[in-house]
Amino acid sequence: MSAHCHLLPALALALGMGAFSARAETITVTIEKMAFSPAEISASVGDTVQWVNKDTFAHTATVKGEWEVMFPVAKSGSIVLDKAGTLAYFCRFHPNMKGRITVSAP
Ligand SMILES: [Cu+2]
């Protein structure tokens, strides 16, 4: 194998980070067994966070005083991140379920 073989993945990574960083992404958080997974994510303003509920009961993602998204059984829900900052959220029905979204400016 020549050295060229090792360049392609690095190039693809560089292009991906550079060319597409301004594009809004969708980040998926799975809700399973009473937990958000991954519990901590990083995103940019304009990105969408989508939660997919795989449990057999409803959950929420709640930021006290700001917003709440309800996820019925086997459903998903999403929000669009509209400002930079750190969002600490929890499930209203199961307050031990916690997640965090770090939102950076575009
Ligand atoms: Cu819950």
Side-chain angles (χ1 to χ4, degrees):
M1 300 293 263
S2 74
H4 293 282
C5 296
H6 299 286
L7 285 175
L8 271 177
L11 186 64
L13 188 65
L15 282 174
M17 293 176 74
F20 302 138
S21 62
R23 252 171 56 174
E25 291 181 44
T26 298
I27 298 152
T28 301
V29 176
T30 300
I31 307 171
E32 197 165 22
K33 296 182 180 129
M34 307 275 291
F36 298 109
S37 177
E40 298 204 9
I41 59 173
S42 297
S44 300
V45 172
D47 286 353
T48 298
V49 181
Q50 179 184 55
W51 288 267
V52 178
N53 185 6
K54 295 190 170 176
D55 274 339
T56 52
F57 30 83
H59 294 293
T60 72
T62 304
V63 176
K64 215 167 190 170
E66 292 206 35
W67 47 258
E68 176 171 273
V69 191
M70 175 83 73
F71 314 116
V73 174
K75 290 279 183 343
S76 61
S78 61
I79 57 156
V80 176
L81 302 166
D82 59 0
K83 60 179 186 225
T86 300
L87 293 167
Y89 65 91
F90 61 96
C91 172
R92 182 152 55 92
F93 306 132
H94 315 103
N96 302 338
M97 293 175 60
K98 287 178 182 153
R100 182 182 293 266
I101 308 168
T102 304
V103 189
S104 51

